[in-house]
Amino acid sequence: TLLGFIVTDLPIKTSVLQPLLSGAVNRSFNCISVDGDMSTNDTICMIANGAIDTTVIDENSPDFEKVKDQVTEFAKQLAQLVVRDGEGATKFVTVNVKNSAEFKDAKIIAETISNSMLVKSALYGQDANWGRILCAIGYSKLENLASLDESKINVSFVATDDSTPRELKLIVNGVPQFDIDETRASEILKLPDLEVLVDLGTGSEECQFWTCDLSHEYVTINGDYRS
Amino acid sequence: QSAAKSIDKYAQFVPKSGVFPKGYEVASLASGVKKNGALDLGIIRNINKSKKSSAAAVFTTNRFKAAPVQFSRKVLQSRSGEGIDAIVVNSGCANAVTGELGLQDAEKVAGQVNKLVGNSDSTLLMSTGVIGQRLQLEKITAGIDRLFEEKKFSTDFDGWLNLSKSICTTDTFPKLISSKFALSDGTEYTLTGMAKGAGMICPNMA
């Protein structure tokens, strides 16, 4: 279950707070997955008590966009901590789907990759199994193929430390790179933080999803949760 | 190996200090719901009286919404998001799939806190833990009384950290972050956030 709250001493108009929070959650807590299961209790709430003496923030305030962005970035930080603590997780993985024709398609694809048990198992085993990533993209429940053109798709692993080359291309314009540098792939997959980059090449929308690997420990923890 | 990983994550991600927004107090204790005697009940309350608070929330879109979800959504709707002064969190029992009795339990907990803070319909609830079990109401109501009678509310770092621990279940570390931000006229405000979650995580809240 995900529970959380954000509190602030800034005065924010009640009618503005709900869309502000919903927008922040759609780019943060609604973009995380540990195991693909949705709880009966998930709740994020926010209270703004106005304890500091300043003008109430509403949609016409000069600082409205700034506050909205700050709350969104703050929510992302908090959401990412949940993924870092995913049951049994040894890796924090950013799935970045960019250059999509539609945002919703980028999100569906990012979520599908993030929920694939086979992708997550491969990440745990440090196996550069790009075929599973492509497979997950292929069965994503897209309404149509406006965002997905197999001749334009690029998939890479991206290192999150300072090592180079930072990006290891696995698929270029729909063509698998059969001669990938396995040593470099192995180095990147050993990192505790890594990124899977999917460039759809069909537009300019993007979505980031955060997930973790799936380890033996997950089953140990959940095999006897109730008893 | 697993323990070693937990210790590393705790050291890496749990802050040792923080800045917290004005006008809030927090308290927590071990009510006895969790079998290991760990913190399992917490309250955050708004004590600022200069303005009515604004509140908003997003909830699970799971068809089977737990009692605290149904209850809190109703409170927010009835108050139009205004004047929410407390959030009660409990861990160990999710009060989910508990039907009418679960809703009554939720109402009792919130009603007790409403009385203690002196504001009706001003309390939201969050529960986490095992699904399909009723709240151990006696332990929770006794715990709430103790928090108020023994004046356990504080504004310091330890208070906030303990509150974030009280909502943990299989979490290996509490998730607490806080930051100061500046508006364009230089006025500073603070955001503090806490979360729990380690498994059953793929939310789609609205």
Side-chain angles (χ1 to χ4, degrees):
Chain A
T1 295
L2 172 79
L3 297 182
F5 53 81
I6 296 171
V7 289
T8 182
D9 43 18
L10 191 64
I12 303 176
K13 194 176 168 188
T14 307
S15 60
V16 162
L17 191 64
Q18 184 64 56
L20 188 149
L21 177 67
S22 298
V25 166
N26 278 336
R27 295 276 176 173
S28 58
F29 293 103
N30 279 354
C31 290
I32 62 171
S33 176
V34 169
D35 49 20
D37 269 22
M38 185 199 294
S39 170
T40 51
N41 290 53
D42 293 335
T43 303
I44 297 290
C45 69
M46 182 168 179
I47 298 181
N49 71 356
I52 58 165
D53 188 19
T54 189
T55 316
V56 176
I57 300 289
D58 63 20
E59 53 272 74
N60 299 316
S61 304
D63 282 317
F64 174 67
E65 288 298 327
K66 191 177 181 179
V67 169
K68 200 170 89 174
D69 290 346
Q70 286 166 342
V71 171
T72 302
E73 288 307 311
F74 191 81
K76 279 184 190 175
Q77 275 186 51
L78 202 52
Q80 287 172 16
L81 284 178
V82 174
V83 177
R84 290 188 181 281
D85 200 17
E87 285 167 345
T90 68
K91 291 187 191 305
F92 175 81
V93 184
T94 301
V95 178
N96 189 5
V97 178
K98 66 178 193 180
N99 295 325
S100 170
E102 303 273 351
F103 171 76
K104 64 174 182 176
D105 292 341
K107 189 169 182 181
I108 290 169
I109 289 171
E111 184 170 5
T112 308
I113 296 168
S114 298
N115 282 335
S116 162
M117 284 197 290
L118 285 174
V119 170
K120 289 154 77 77
S121 302
L123 292 170
Y124 173 66
Q126 301 174 9
D127 177 10
N129 198 327
W130 53 265
R132 290 179 181 173
I133 298 171
L134 207 63
C135 175
I137 296 169
Y139 67 70
S140 302
K141 291 182 177 160
L142 302 172
E143 281 175 19
N144 55 55
L145 295 178
S147 301
L148 183 58
D149 177 341
E150 66 268 31
S151 68
K152 292 180 177 172
I153 193 166
N154 285 260
V155 178
S156 309
F157 286 135
V158 181
T160 54
D161 61 358
D162 294 331
S163 60
T164 54
R166 201 168 157 265
E167 184 176 347
L168 181 69
K169 290 183 182 296
L170 306 167
I171 296 159
V172 177
N173 295 327
V175 180
Q177 304 301 287
F178 290 117
D179 56 348
I180 62 164
D181 182 346
E182 292 288 350
T183 310
R184 182 60 185 145
S186 184
E187 284 168 2
I188 292 176
L189 288 167
K190 273 187 184 138
L191 295 170
D193 283 26
L194 62 101
E195 180 182 330
V196 174
L197 174 63
V198 178
D199 185 336
L200 294 173
T202 53
S204 57
E205 295 292 329
E206 68 178 304
C207 177
Q208 284 192 321
F209 227 85
W210 297 279
T211 189
C212 56
D213 57 347
L214 176 66
S215 73
H216 307 274
E217 188 71 9
Y218 181 86
V219 179
T220 304
I221 292 167
N222 285 291
D224 66 350
Y225 183 74
R226 185 177 178 277
S227 53
Chain B
Q1 190 187 19
S2 147
K5 277 175 199 158
S6 304
I7 291 163
D8 286 343
K9 284 185 182 177
Y10 195 103
Q12 201 174 347
F13 300 117
V14 180
K16 293 183 173 62
S17 63
V19 285
F20 302 104
K22 293 175 184 170
Y24 294 96
E25 284 185 343
V26 292
S28 53
L29 55 67
S31 73
V33 171
K34 271 187 186 164
K35 290 169 190 166
N36 59 3
L39 295 169
D40 57 18
L41 177 66
I43 298 178
I44 177 166
R45 58 184 292 208
N46 166 37
I47 53 166
N48 175 55
K49 301 294 173 204
S50 68
K51 288 187 183 75
K52 267 191 180 175
S53 71
S54 299
V58 288
F59 300 104
T60 182
T61 48
N62 191 312
R63 295 278 174 88
F64 299 113
K65 290 173 180 56
V69 169
Q70 297 179 50
F71 178 82
S72 297
R73 196 165 63 165
K74 206 169 86 180
V75 170
L76 275 171
Q77 280 171 353
S78 71
R79 295 290 298 248
S80 304
E82 247 188 13
I84 300 300
D85 283 340
I87 304 171
V88 182
V89 299
N90 79 274
S91 55
C93 174
N95 192 10
V97 207
T98 45
E100 189 56 38
L101 293 172
L103 269 175
Q104 287 171 15
D105 291 344
E107 279 167 18
K108 280 177 193 160
V109 172
Q112 183 188 9
V113 176
N114 286 338
K115 262 188 199 165
L116 290 162
V117 300
N119 187 2
S120 60
D121 288 335
S122 67
T123 300
L124 303 182
L125 302 174
M126 291 185 189
S127 300
T128 179
V130 179
I131 293 174
Q133 288 182 358
R134 283 188 68 187
L135 281 181
Q136 296 177 45
L137 210 53
E138 279 181 20
K139 288 178 181 171
I140 289 177
T141 54
I144 290 170
D145 279 337
R146 271 181 58 205
L147 290 176
F148 282 86
E149 283 164 12
E150 296 176 17
K151 296 186 174 31
K152 286 186 177 287
F153 285 87
S154 72
T155 57
D156 61 16
F157 172 74
D158 285 342
W160 285 90
L161 185 64
N162 284 334
L163 178 65
S164 62
K165 286 178 181 173
S166 73
I167 60 172
C168 289
T169 50
T170 54
D171 306 57
T172 63
F173 64 89
K175 291 133 195 95
L176 171 68
I177 57 172
S178 58
S179 287
K180 269 196 185 302
F181 298 92
L183 300 177
S184 38
D185 66 359
T187 305
E188 285 194 325
Y189 78 95
T190 305
L191 287 174
T192 291
M194 63 179 64
K196 68 81 49 182
M200 199 180 269
I201 299 289
C202 190
N204 181 24
M205 297 171 290

